Amino acid sequence: MRYLILCASDRSKYKVALSLLKFFLKEHKHEKENIFVCVVDEDEDICNFLKSNKIKFIKKNIKKFLQNMQSDRYDWLLNIWSPLIHKTEILKKIKRNLNLHPSYLPFAKGKDPYVWSVEKKFPIGVTIHEMNSKIDYGKVFVQKKINMKFPYTGGDVFDNTLKECIKLFKKNWKKILQNKI
């Protein structure tokens, strides 16, 4: 399998992308040469981790890289904390994909789901789903509701969803990969 991973810093204590990159590399340690990472915001911690583990990556011209990427070059596109929205033409180039989203879809789609969850009293949770032409709309692989007692803030929702994103991915990645979920 060949993996393309897009990530960025979440600037929290959880460091979702870095945590999941460490997990992913541990799970796929014998496939290092088949892993390529795009670090969307040039996060220093992520770049240093990738360098120290000899994982190929880029941190500039990512949109150009994706546009020029050959079809079927990668088996999986993992969007594990990248803010990029992928056009259908990019998604069609890769066999399978997933996005890690910090809300209980279909509620609180897009940016700042923590705010919308509080403001609109949406169910709180996390979702791993397939990306398609619509934002946060693809087939759901797995999701988890988070029960929080009111009162809570967007910051409380942020902390809880980041923690759960990490847990949900680690718990279900193998099943998703093996098409068992």
Side-chain angles (χ1 to χ4, degrees), residues 131-151:
M131 294 177 283
N132 64 20
S133 62
K134 297 179 183 176
I135 296 173
D136 296 331
Y137 194 79
K139 176 182 84 177
V140 171
F141 290 112
V142 63
Q143 53 187 169
K144 181 180 180 190
K145 271 190 181 175
I146 301 170
N147 293 317
M148 293 179 63
K149 294 190 190 246
F150 199 77

mmCIF file with all atom_site columns, all heavy atoms in Angstrom, residues 131-151:
data_model
loop_
_atom_site.group_PDB
_atom_site.id
_atom_site.type_symbol
_atom_site.label_atom_id
_atom_site.label_alt_id
_atom_site.label_comp_id
_atom_site.label_asym_id
_atom_site.label_entity_id
_atom_site.label_seq_id
_atom_site.pdbx_PDB_ins_code
_atom_site.Cartn_x
_atom_site.Cartn_y
_atom_site.Cartn_z
_atom_site.occupancy
_atom_site.B_iso_or_equiv
_atom_site.pdbx_formal_charge
_atom_site.auth_seq_id
_atom_site.auth_comp_id
_atom_site.auth_asym_id
_atom_site.auth_atom_id
_atom_site.pdbx_PDB_model_num
ATOM 1   N N   . MET A 1 131 ? -14.018 11.385 1.921  1.00 0.00 ? 131 MET A N   1
ATOM 2   C CA  . MET A 1 131 ? -14.200 12.690 1.299  1.00 0.00 ? 131 MET A CA  1
ATOM 3   C C   . MET A 1 131 ? -14.799 12.517 -0.091 1.00 0.00 ? 131 MET A C   1
ATOM 4   O O   . MET A 1 131 ? -14.502 11.546 -0.782 1.00 0.00 ? 131 MET A O   1
ATOM 5   C CB  . MET A 1 131 ? -12.856 13.417 1.188  1.00 0.00 ? 131 MET A CB  1
ATOM 6   C CG  . MET A 1 131 ? -12.243 13.780 2.528  1.00 0.00 ? 131 MET A CG  1
ATOM 7   S SD  . MET A 1 131 ? -10.618 14.553 2.382  1.00 0.00 ? 131 MET A SD  1
ATOM 8   C CE  . MET A 1 131 ? -9.580  13.125 2.037  1.00 0.00 ? 131 MET A CE  1
ATOM 9   N N   . ASN A 1 132 ? -15.641 13.478 -0.459 1.00 0.00 ? 132 ASN A N   1
ATOM 10  C CA  . ASN A 1 132 ? -16.179 13.524 -1.813 1.00 0.00 ? 132 ASN A CA  1
ATOM 11  C C   . ASN A 1 132 ? -16.297 14.986 -2.233 1.00 0.00 ? 132 ASN A C   1
ATOM 12  O O   . ASN A 1 132 ? -15.679 15.852 -1.612 1.00 0.00 ? 132 ASN A O   1
ATOM 13  C CB  . ASN A 1 132 ? -17.499 12.750 -1.917 1.00 0.00 ? 132 ASN A CB  1
ATOM 14  C CG  . ASN A 1 132 ? -18.611 13.345 -1.093 1.00 0.00 ? 132 ASN A CG  1
ATOM 15  O OD1 . ASN A 1 132 ? -18.581 14.520 -0.716 1.00 0.00 ? 132 ASN A OD1 1
ATOM 16  N ND2 . ASN A 1 132 ? -19.610 12.535 -0.788 1.00 0.00 ? 132 ASN A ND2 1
ATOM 17  N N   . SER A 1 133 ? -17.112 15.267 -3.236 1.00 0.00 ? 133 SER A N   1
ATOM 18  C CA  . SER A 1 133 ? -17.183 16.627 -3.771 1.00 0.00 ? 133 SER A CA  1
ATOM 19  C C   . SER A 1 133 ? -17.833 17.631 -2.824 1.00 0.00 ? 133 SER A C   1
ATOM 20  O O   . SER A 1 133 ? -17.688 18.828 -3.000 1.00 0.00 ? 133 SER A O   1
ATOM 21  C CB  . SER A 1 133 ? -17.933 16.630 -5.108 1.00 0.00 ? 133 SER A CB  1
ATOM 22  O OG  . SER A 1 133 ? -19.258 16.173 -4.911 1.00 0.00 ? 133 SER A OG  1
ATOM 23  N N   . LYS A 1 134 ? -18.554 17.168 -1.821 1.00 0.00 ? 134 LYS A N   1
ATOM 24  C CA  . LYS A 1 134 ? -19.190 18.068 -0.860 1.00 0.00 ? 134 LYS A CA  1
ATOM 25  C C   . LYS A 1 134 ? -18.404 18.063 0.455  1.00 0.00 ? 134 LYS A C   1
ATOM 26  O O   . LYS A 1 134 ? -17.906 17.025 0.878  1.00 0.00 ? 134 LYS A O   1
ATOM 27  C CB  . LYS A 1 134 ? -20.638 17.632 -0.597 1.00 0.00 ? 134 LYS A CB  1
ATOM 28  C CG  . LYS A 1 134 ? -21.512 17.703 -1.833 1.00 0.00 ? 134 LYS A CG  1
ATOM 29  C CD  . LYS A 1 134 ? -22.913 17.239 -1.496 1.00 0.00 ? 134 LYS A CD  1
ATOM 30  C CE  . LYS A 1 134 ? -23.791 17.238 -2.724 1.00 0.00 ? 134 LYS A CE  1
ATOM 31  N NZ  . LYS A 1 134 ? -25.122 16.713 -2.429 1.00 0.00 ? 134 LYS A NZ  1
ATOM 32  N N   . ILE A 1 135 ? -18.343 19.204 1.087  1.00 0.00 ? 135 ILE A N   1
ATOM 33  C CA  . ILE A 1 135 ? -17.560 19.326 2.320  1.00 0.00 ? 135 ILE A CA  1
ATOM 34  C C   . ILE A 1 135 ? -18.216 18.545 3.459  1.00 0.00 ? 135 ILE A C   1
ATOM 35  O O   . ILE A 1 135 ? -19.382 18.757 3.773  1.00 0.00 ? 135 ILE A O   1
ATOM 36  C CB  . ILE A 1 135 ? -17.394 20.809 2.715  1.00 0.00 ? 135 ILE A CB  1
ATOM 37  C CG1 . ILE A 1 135 ? -16.578 21.526 1.633  1.00 0.00 ? 135 ILE A CG1 1
ATOM 38  C CG2 . ILE A 1 135 ? -16.721 20.947 4.075  1.00 0.00 ? 135 ILE A CG2 1
ATOM 39  C CD1 . ILE A 1 135 ? -16.485 23.023 1.819  1.00 0.00 ? 135 ILE A CD1 1
ATOM 40  N N   . ASP A 1 136 ? -17.418 17.627 4.051  1.00 0.00 ? 136 ASP A N   1
ATOM 41  C CA  . ASP A 1 136 ? -17.845 16.820 5.202  1.00 0.00 ? 136 ASP A CA  1
ATOM 42  C C   . ASP A 1 136 ? -19.160 16.103 4.947  1.00 0.00 ? 136 ASP A C   1
ATOM 43  O O   . ASP A 1 136 ? -20.048 16.065 5.789  1.00 0.00 ? 136 ASP A O   1
ATOM 44  C CB  . ASP A 1 136 ? -17.934 17.701 6.466  1.00 0.00 ? 136 ASP A CB  1
ATOM 45  C CG  . ASP A 1 136 ? -16.589 18.250 6.875  1.00 0.00 ? 136 ASP A CG  1
ATOM 46  O OD1 . ASP A 1 136 ? -15.576 17.588 6.600  1.00 0.00 ? 136 ASP A OD1 1
ATOM 47  O OD2 . ASP A 1 136 ? -16.538 19.344 7.444  1.00 0.00 ? 136 ASP A OD2 1
ATOM 48  N N   . TYR A 1 137 ? -19.245 15.477 3.782  1.00 0.00 ? 137 TYR A N   1
ATOM 49  C CA  . TYR A 1 137 ? -20.495 14.867 3.370  1.00 0.00 ? 137 TYR A CA  1
ATOM 50  C C   . TYR A 1 137 ? -20.358 13.395 2.984  1.00 0.00 ? 137 TYR A C   1
ATOM 51  O O   . TYR A 1 137 ? -21.336 12.708 2.824  1.00 0.00 ? 137 TYR A O   1
ATOM 52  C CB  . TYR A 1 137 ? -21.063 15.653 2.169  1.00 0.00 ? 137 TYR A CB  1
ATOM 53  C CG  . TYR A 1 137 ? -22.493 15.338 1.863  1.00 0.00 ? 137 TYR A CG  1
ATOM 54  C CD1 . TYR A 1 137 ? -23.522 15.879 2.608  1.00 0.00 ? 137 TYR A CD1 1
ATOM 55  C CD2 . TYR A 1 137 ? -22.816 14.473 0.821  1.00 0.00 ? 137 TYR A CD2 1
ATOM 56  C CE1 . TYR A 1 137 ? -24.843 15.591 2.336  1.00 0.00 ? 137 TYR A CE1 1
ATOM 57  C CE2 . TYR A 1 137 ? -24.149 14.180 0.532  1.00 0.00 ? 137 TYR A CE2 1
ATOM 58  C CZ  . TYR A 1 137 ? -25.150 14.737 1.287  1.00 0.00 ? 137 TYR A CZ  1
ATOM 59  O OH  . TYR A 1 137 ? -26.446 14.453 1.012  1.00 0.00 ? 137 TYR A OH  1
ATOM 60  N N   . GLY A 1 138 ? -19.155 12.886 2.826  1.00 0.00 ? 138 GLY A N   1
ATOM 61  C CA  . GLY A 1 138 ? -18.961 11.525 2.321  1.00 0.00 ? 138 GLY A CA  1
ATOM 62  C C   . GLY A 1 138 ? -19.410 10.437 3.275  1.00 0.00 ? 138 GLY A C   1
ATOM 63  O O   . GLY A 1 138 ? -19.790 10.674 4.418  1.00 0.00 ? 138 GLY A O   1
ATOM 64  N N   . LYS A 1 139 ? -19.342 9.219  2.763  1.00 0.00 ? 139 LYS A N   1
ATOM 65  C CA  . LYS A 1 139 ? -19.723 8.026  3.522  1.00 0.00 ? 139 LYS A CA  1
ATOM 66  C C   . LYS A 1 139 ? -18.978 7.987  4.859  1.00 0.00 ? 139 LYS A C   1
ATOM 67  O O   . LYS A 1 139 ? -17.774 8.184  4.916  1.00 0.00 ? 139 LYS A O   1
ATOM 68  C CB  . LYS A 1 139 ? -19.381 6.789  2.686  1.00 0.00 ? 139 LYS A CB  1
ATOM 69  C CG  . LYS A 1 139 ? -19.630 5.464  3.380  1.00 0.00 ? 139 LYS A CG  1
ATOM 70  C CD  . LYS A 1 139 ? -19.227 4.302  2.502  1.00 0.00 ? 139 LYS A CD  1
ATOM 71  C CE  . LYS A 1 139 ? -17.738 4.069  2.652  1.00 0.00 ? 139 LYS A CE  1
ATOM 72  N NZ  . LYS A 1 139 ? -17.230 2.928  1.916  1.00 0.00 ? 139 LYS A NZ  1
ATOM 73  N N   . VAL A 1 140 ? -19.707 7.732  5.920  1.00 0.00 ? 140 VAL A N   1
ATOM 74  C CA  . VAL A 1 140 ? -19.114 7.675  7.259  1.00 0.00 ? 140 VAL A CA  1
ATOM 75  C C   . VAL A 1 140 ? -18.546 6.287  7.506  1.00 0.00 ? 140 VAL A C   1
ATOM 76  O O   . VAL A 1 140 ? -19.232 5.281  7.357  1.00 0.00 ? 140 VAL A O   1
ATOM 77  C CB  . VAL A 1 140 ? -20.179 8.033  8.336  1.00 0.00 ? 140 VAL A CB  1
ATOM 78  C CG1 . VAL A 1 140 ? -19.635 7.767  9.735  1.00 0.00 ? 140 VAL A CG1 1
ATOM 79  C CG2 . VAL A 1 140 ? -20.616 9.476  8.183  1.00 0.00 ? 140 VAL A CG2 1
ATOM 80  N N   . PHE A 1 141 ? -17.270 6.240  7.877  1.00 0.00 ? 141 PHE A N   1
ATOM 81  C CA  . PHE A 1 141 ? -16.662 4.976  8.292  1.00 0.00 ? 141 PHE A CA  1
ATOM 82  C C   . PHE A 1 141 ? -17.062 4.673  9.732  1.00 0.00 ? 141 PHE A C   1
ATOM 83  O O   . PHE A 1 141 ? -17.491 3.587  10.054 1.00 0.00 ? 141 PHE A O   1
ATOM 84  C CB  . PHE A 1 141 ? -15.131 5.040  8.202  1.00 0.00 ? 141 PHE A CB  1
ATOM 85  C CG  . PHE A 1 141 ? -14.590 5.076  6.803  1.00 0.00 ? 141 PHE A CG  1
ATOM 86  C CD1 . PHE A 1 141 ? -13.971 6.212  6.318  1.00 0.00 ? 141 PHE A CD1 1
ATOM 87  C CD2 . PHE A 1 141 ? -14.702 3.979  5.962  1.00 0.00 ? 141 PHE A CD2 1
ATOM 88  C CE1 . PHE A 1 141 ? -13.463 6.251  5.036  1.00 0.00 ? 141 PHE A CE1 1
ATOM 89  C CE2 . PHE A 1 141 ? -14.193 4.003  4.672  1.00 0.00 ? 141 PHE A CE2 1
ATOM 90  C CZ  . PHE A 1 141 ? -13.574 5.157  4.211  1.00 0.00 ? 141 PHE A CZ  1
ATOM 91  N N   . VAL A 1 142 ? -16.867 5.673  10.597 1.00 0.00 ? 142 VAL A N   1
ATOM 92  C CA  . VAL A 1 142 ? -17.168 5.487  12.017 1.00 0.00 ? 142 VAL A CA  1
ATOM 93  C C   . VAL A 1 142 ? -17.302 6.865  12.665 1.00 0.00 ? 142 VAL A C   1
ATOM 94  O O   . VAL A 1 142 ? -16.668 7.823  12.235 1.00 0.00 ? 142 VAL A O   1
ATOM 95  C CB  . VAL A 1 142 ? -16.060 4.640  12.705 1.00 0.00 ? 142 VAL A CB  1
ATOM 96  C CG1 . VAL A 1 142 ? -14.717 5.329  12.675 1.00 0.00 ? 142 VAL A CG1 1
ATOM 97  C CG2 . VAL A 1 142 ? -16.434 4.251  14.116 1.00 0.00 ? 142 VAL A CG2 1
ATOM 98  N N   . GLN A 1 143 ? -18.163 6.934  13.675 1.00 0.00 ? 143 GLN A N   1
ATOM 99  C CA  . GLN A 1 143 ? -18.279 8.174  14.433 1.00 0.00 ? 143 GLN A CA  1
ATOM 100 C C   . GLN A 1 143 ? -18.634 7.842  15.875 1.00 0.00 ? 143 GLN A C   1
ATOM 101 O O   . GLN A 1 143 ? -19.071 6.736  16.184 1.00 0.00 ? 143 GLN A O   1
ATOM 102 C CB  . GLN A 1 143 ? -19.273 9.154  13.811 1.00 0.00 ? 143 GLN A CB  1
ATOM 103 C CG  . GLN A 1 143 ? -20.632 8.646  13.530 1.00 0.00 ? 143 GLN A CG  1
ATOM 104 C CD  . GLN A 1 143 ? -21.479 9.656  12.752 1.00 0.00 ? 143 GLN A CD  1
ATOM 105 O OE1 . GLN A 1 143 ? -22.527 9.260  12.307 1.00 0.00 ? 143 GLN A OE1 1
ATOM 106 N NE2 . GLN A 1 143 ? -21.107 10.901 12.578 1.00 0.00 ? 143 GLN A NE2 1
ATOM 107 N N   . LYS A 1 144 ? -18.401 8.831  16.729 1.00 0.00 ? 144 LYS A N   1
ATOM 108 C CA  . LYS A 1 144 ? -18.679 8.627  18.147 1.00 0.00 ? 144 LYS A CA  1
ATOM 109 C C   . LYS A 1 144 ? -19.276 9.907  18.726 1.00 0.00 ? 144 LYS A C   1
ATOM 110 O O   . LYS A 1 144 ? -18.732 10.991 18.530 1.00 0.00 ? 144 LYS A O   1
ATOM 111 C CB  . LYS A 1 144 ? -17.396 8.283  18.895 1.00 0.00 ? 144 LYS A CB  1
ATOM 112 C CG  . LYS A 1 144 ? -17.640 8.041  20.370 1.00 0.00 ? 144 LYS A CG  1
ATOM 113 C CD  . LYS A 1 144 ? -16.381 7.696  21.111 1.00 0.00 ? 144 LYS A CD  1
ATOM 114 C CE  . LYS A 1 144 ? -16.733 7.482  22.587 1.00 0.00 ? 144 LYS A CE  1
ATOM 115 N NZ  . LYS A 1 144 ? -15.568 7.364  23.402 1.00 0.00 ? 144 LYS A NZ  1
ATOM 116 N N   . LYS A 1 145 ? -20.372 9.739  19.429 1.00 0.00 ? 145 LYS A N   1
ATOM 117 C CA  . LYS A 1 145 ? -20.966 10.867 20.156 1.00 0.00 ? 145 LYS A CA  1
ATOM 118 C C   . LYS A 1 145 ? -20.219 11.037 21.467 1.00 0.00 ? 145 LYS A C   1
ATOM 119 O O   . LYS A 1 145 ? -19.793 10.063 22.091 1.00 0.00 ? 145 LYS A O   1
ATOM 120 C CB  . LYS A 1 145 ? -22.437 10.611 20.457 1.00 0.00 ? 145 LYS A CB  1
ATOM 121 C CG  . LYS A 1 145 ? -23.365 11.070 19.387 1.00 0.00 ? 145 LYS A CG  1
ATOM 122 C CD  . LYS A 1 145 ? -24.810 10.994 19.869 1.00 0.00 ? 145 LYS A CD  1
ATOM 123 C CE  . LYS A 1 145 ? -25.729 11.450 18.770 1.00 0.00 ? 145 LYS A CE  1
ATOM 124 N NZ  . LYS A 1 145 ? -27.130 11.296 19.135 1.00 0.00 ? 145 LYS A NZ  1
ATOM 125 N N   . ILE A 1 146 ? -20.111 12.279 21.880 1.00 0.00 ? 146 ILE A N   1
ATOM 126 C CA  . ILE A 1 146 ? -19.495 12.599 23.165 1.00 0.00 ? 146 ILE A CA  1
ATOM 127 C C   . ILE A 1 146 ? -20.582 13.247 24.021 1.00 0.00 ? 146 ILE A C   1
ATOM 128 O O   . ILE A 1 146 ? -21.170 14.253 23.625 1.00 0.00 ? 146 ILE A O   1
ATOM 129 C CB  . ILE A 1 146 ? -18.308 13.577 22.999 1.00 0.00 ? 146 ILE A CB  1
ATOM 130 C CG1 . ILE A 1 146 ? -17.236 12.991 22.076 1.00 0.00 ? 146 ILE A CG1 1
ATOM 131 C CG2 . ILE A 1 146 ? -17.727 13.932 24.354 1.00 0.00 ? 146 ILE A CG2 1
ATOM 132 C CD1 . ILE A 1 146 ? -16.163 13.986 21.688 1.00 0.00 ? 146 ILE A CD1 1
ATOM 133 N N   . ASN A 1 147 ? -20.835 12.652 25.155 1.00 0.00 ? 147 ASN A N   1
ATOM 134 C CA  . ASN A 1 147 ? -21.829 13.222 26.069 1.00 0.00 ? 147 ASN A CA  1
ATOM 135 C C   . ASN A 1 147 ? -21.145 14.233 26.973 1.00 0.00 ? 147 ASN A C   1
ATOM 136 O O   . ASN A 1 147 ? -20.221 13.894 27.706 1.00 0.00 ? 147 ASN A O   1
ATOM 137 C CB  . ASN A 1 147 ? -22.479 12.121 26.908 1.00 0.00 ? 147 ASN A CB  1
ATOM 138 C CG  . ASN A 1 147 ? -23.309 11.198 26.052 1.00 0.00 ? 147 ASN A CG  1
ATOM 139 O OD1 . ASN A 1 147 ? -24.052 11.662 25.176 1.00 0.00 ? 147 ASN A OD1 1
ATOM 140 N ND2 . ASN A 1 147 ? -23.182 9.905  26.262 1.00 0.00 ? 147 ASN A ND2 1
ATOM 141 N N   . MET A 1 148 ? -21.619 15.459 26.892 1.00 0.00 ? 148 MET A N   1
ATOM 142 C CA  . MET A 1 148 ? -21.093 16.523 27.740 1.00 0.00 ? 148 MET A CA  1
ATOM 143 C C   . MET A 1 148 ? -22.280 17.185 28.439 1.00 0.00 ? 148 MET A C   1
ATOM 144 O O   . MET A 1 148 ? -23.317 17.400 27.827 1.00 0.00 ? 148 MET A O   1
ATOM 145 C CB  . MET A 1 148 ? -20.341 17.556 26.902 1.00 0.00 ? 148 MET A CB  1
ATOM 146 C CG  . MET A 1 148 ? -19.070 17.010 26.271 1.00 0.00 ? 148 MET A CG  1
ATOM 147 S SD  . MET A 1 148 ? -18.189 18.229 25.268 1.00 0.00 ? 148 MET A SD  1
ATOM 148 C CE  . MET A 1 148 ? -17.750 19.447 26.493 1.00 0.00 ? 148 MET A CE  1
ATOM 149 N N   . LYS A 1 149 ? -22.097 17.460 29.695 1.00 0.00 ? 149 LYS A N   1
ATOM 150 C CA  . LYS A 1 149 ? -23.166 18.115 30.456 1.00 0.00 ? 149 LYS A CA  1
ATOM 151 C C   . LYS A 1 149 ? -22.997 19.628 30.364 1.00 0.00 ? 149 LYS A C   1
ATOM 152 O O   . LYS A 1 149 ? -21.896 20.138 30.527 1.00 0.00 ? 149 LYS A O   1
ATOM 153 C CB  . LYS A 1 149 ? -23.131 17.663 31.910 1.00 0.00 ? 149 LYS A CB  1
ATOM 154 C CG  . LYS A 1 149 ? -23.469 16.195 32.056 1.00 0.00 ? 149 LYS A CG  1
ATOM 155 C CD  . LYS A 1 149 ? -23.653 15.831 33.504 1.00 0.00 ? 149 LYS A CD  1
ATOM 156 C CE  . LYS A 1 149 ? -23.731 14.335 33.604 1.00 0.00 ? 149 LYS A CE  1
ATOM 157 N NZ  . LYS A 1 149 ? -24.908 13.774 34.000 1.00 0.00 ? 149 LYS A NZ  1
ATOM 158 N N   . PHE A 1 150 ? -24.102 20.276 30.078 1.00 0.00 ? 150 PHE A N   1
ATOM 159 C CA  . PHE A 1 150 ? -24.103 21.725 29.990 1.00 0.00 ? 150 PHE A CA  1
ATOM 160 C C   . PHE A 1 150 ? -23.963 22.310 31.386 1.00 0.00 ? 150 PHE A C   1
ATOM 161 O O   . PHE A 1 150 ? -24.469 21.714 32.338 1.00 0.00 ? 150 PHE A O   1
ATOM 162 C CB  . PHE A 1 150 ? -25.417 22.185 29.331 1.00 0.00 ? 150 PHE A CB  1
ATOM 163 C CG  . PHE A 1 150 ? -25.327 23.565 28.782 1.00 0.00 ? 150 PHE A CG  1
ATOM 164 C CD1 . PHE A 1 150 ? -24.675 23.819 27.597 1.00 0.00 ? 150 PHE A CD1 1
ATOM 165 C CD2 . PHE A 1 150 ? -25.873 24.629 29.485 1.00 0.00 ? 150 PHE A CD2 1
ATOM 166 C CE1 . PHE A 1 150 ? -24.585 25.104 27.093 1.00 0.00 ? 150 PHE A CE1 1
ATOM 167 C CE2 . PHE A 1 150 ? -25.785 25.917 28.996 1.00 0.00 ? 150 PHE A CE2 1
ATOM 168 C CZ  . PHE A 1 150 ? -25.131 26.152 27.803 1.00 0.00 ? 150 PHE A CZ  1
ATOM 169 N N   . PRO A 1 151 ? -23.271 23.384 31.630 1.00 0.00 ? 151 PRO A N   1
ATOM 170 C CA  . PRO A 1 151 ? -22.720 24.296 30.642 1.00 0.00 ? 151 PRO A CA  1
ATOM 171 C C   . PRO A 1 151 ? -21.332 23.871 30.182 1.00 0.00 ? 151 PRO A C   1
ATOM 172 O O   . PRO A 1 151 ? -20.531 23.360 30.962 1.00 0.00 ? 151 PRO A O   1
ATOM 173 C CB  . PRO A 1 151 ? -22.642 25.627 31.393 1.00 0.00 ? 151 PRO A CB  1
ATOM 174 C CG  . PRO A 1 151 ? -22.413 25.234 32.820 1.00 0.00 ? 151 PRO A CG  1
ATOM 175 C CD  . PRO A 1 151 ? -23.129 23.908 32.997 1.00 0.00 ? 151 PRO A CD  1
#
